[in-house]
Amino acid sequence: MTQAAALLRDAAVQLEAAGVEEARRDARLLLAEALGVEAHRLILEPQTNVPPAAADRFAGFVAARAARVPVSRILGRREFWGLTFRLSPATLDPRPDSETLVEAVLKAFPDRMAPLRVLDFGTGTGCLLLAVLSEYPNATGLGIDKAEDAVATASTNADDLGLAARVEFRTGDWGQGLGGQGLGGQGLGGQGVGEPFDIILSNPPYIEAAVVPALAPEVARHDPLLALAGGADGLDAYRRLLPDVARLLAPQGHAFLELGQGQAADVAALAQQCGLMQRALHADLAGIARCLELVPGSG
């Protein structure tokens, strides 16, 4: 049997040649998956013997990563807010930057026992909505996505995380068909989610369409175009979304929208046209304004 250290060394060389950043780390994660062990074990025990079947599985993983398939897509899961989310081809791969929205919610709503009603537009894996519900045990949520496969994936994630009793996922085109018709759901103990909403979340597509093909292969080839491209100027989704936010947000509610770099002023202006005003901007760990927090205007 081959030792882990030798396999990792060879894999790192292969991945570096393919242009993969952090090749050694990615190789270690993939070998840990092939062996069914925690990745830190390979640091502590580099002489671990790797059975032939695991080595073959690892070779397949490395070949996929060298073809610029993201590690998360190979594993079929991604960690977000300390929780594990399954992925599908219809879902965006959650990024750490998006955790900025969850942090902003916690600052705006310090009472963790509040019976909040949460709406998530473009829910994807459900990561934003489910992360928020994990922090508020009395909250209920509704996640909307245009892709049926994404809705199915989010529902599975809710089951995995033990949150299915407090959340409902539906296929829909932003807020079309929601306003004024009630949002009671059968998956919420007969009580429904209710409207308006105390918290509205969204990570809409905000990348300029012409830029998408030039993104890293891990993104351009493997994240769904529907979740990336925001039209010629990157703002199309906000134009569609903000009227729905204004209509569905409770008088004392807050909306939290993810932004692309440099979009804060433009999105805030669009929000103002819909009767919403900027309450705060929240920066991600790189110092980029990543989350626009909105509240209803004063009139």
Side-chain angles (χ1 to χ4, degrees):
M1 286 189 287
T2 308
Q3 291 187 338
L7 287 175
L8 289 173
R9 181 178 61 250
D10 293 345
V13 170
Q14 182 179 347
L15 295 180
E16 287 170 358
V20 173
E21 298 180 4
E22 299 187 84
R24 182 81 181 185
R25 183 207 65 174
D26 287 3
R28 185 165 56 249
L29 291 172
L30 295 173
L31 182 54
E33 179 73 8
L35 285 168
V37 301
E38 296 291 333
H40 69 266
R41 177 178 165 184
L42 299 177
I43 299 174
L44 299 174
E45 303 175 22
Q47 306 309 315
T48 297
N49 287 322
V50 181
D56 289 344
R57 190 179 183 204
F58 176 58
F61 290 163
V62 173
R65 186 68 189 100
R68 306 302 291 272
V69 180
V71 170
S72 56
R73 297 286 180 188
I74 297 170
L75 303 182
R77 63 182 185 274
R78 163 72 79 169
E79 296 295 316
F80 181 88
W81 200 253
L83 307 171
T84 300
F85 291 87
R86 300 192 200 199
L87 306 179
S88 76
T91 64
L92 192 72
D93 187 351
R95 271 61 163 187
D97 291 345
S98 298
E99 293 185 351
T100 307
L101 276 70
V102 183
E103 294 168 352
V105 169
L106 297 180
K107 291 178 183 176
F109 294 88
D111 180 6
R112 300 294 182 89
M113 302 309 293
L116 300 169
R117 293 156 299 180
V118 188
L119 174 61
D120 182 19
F121 282 122
T123 196
T125 61
C127 65
L128 288 174
L129 177 55
L130 295 172
V132 168
L133 294 184
S134 76
E135 296 286 350
Y136 296 91
N138 294 318
T140 54
L142 172 65
I144 302 294
D145 202 284
K146 197 170 184 177
E148 291 183 6
D149 287 349
V151 169
T153 301
S155 298
T156 299
N157 284 326
D159 288 335
D160 290 346
L161 296 169
L163 296 170
R166 294 195 282 122
V167 69
E168 179 182 357
F169 292 100
R170 293 187 193 173
T171 304
D173 188 6
W174 301 121
Q176 186 175 353
L178 296 185
Q181 297 185 23
L183 296 172
Q186 296 181 353
L188 300 168
Q191 299 181 7
V193 177
E195 62 170 271
F197 292 88
D198 303 297
I199 296 169
I200 296 180
L201 304 162
S202 186
N203 177 14
Y206 53 70
I207 299 172
E208 296 175 11
V211 173
V212 172
L215 296 173
E218 287 84 351
V219 178
R221 297 178 192 166
H222 299 286
D223 276 329
L225 184 63
L226 187 67
L228 294 175
D233 62 357
L235 301 177
D236 281 2
Y238 299 106
R239 294 186 182 98
R240 289 282 316 279
L241 175 62
L242 283 163
D244 292 332
V245 172
R247 186 179 76 250
L248 295 168
L249 191 62
Q252 303 303 316
H254 296 235
F256 304 85
L257 306 183
E258 183 161 333
L259 303 168
Q261 187 170 3
Q263 292 180 326
D266 288 336
V267 178
L270 291 171
Q272 188 174 19
Q273 294 172 15
C274 297
L276 300 165
M277 66 179 186
Q278 176 179 321
R279 181 178 183 269
L281 272 177
H282 303 271
D284 61 21
L285 292 176
I288 296 169
R290 186 61 64 190
C291 171
L292 175 64
E293 181 178 349
L294 299 168
V295 294
S298 57

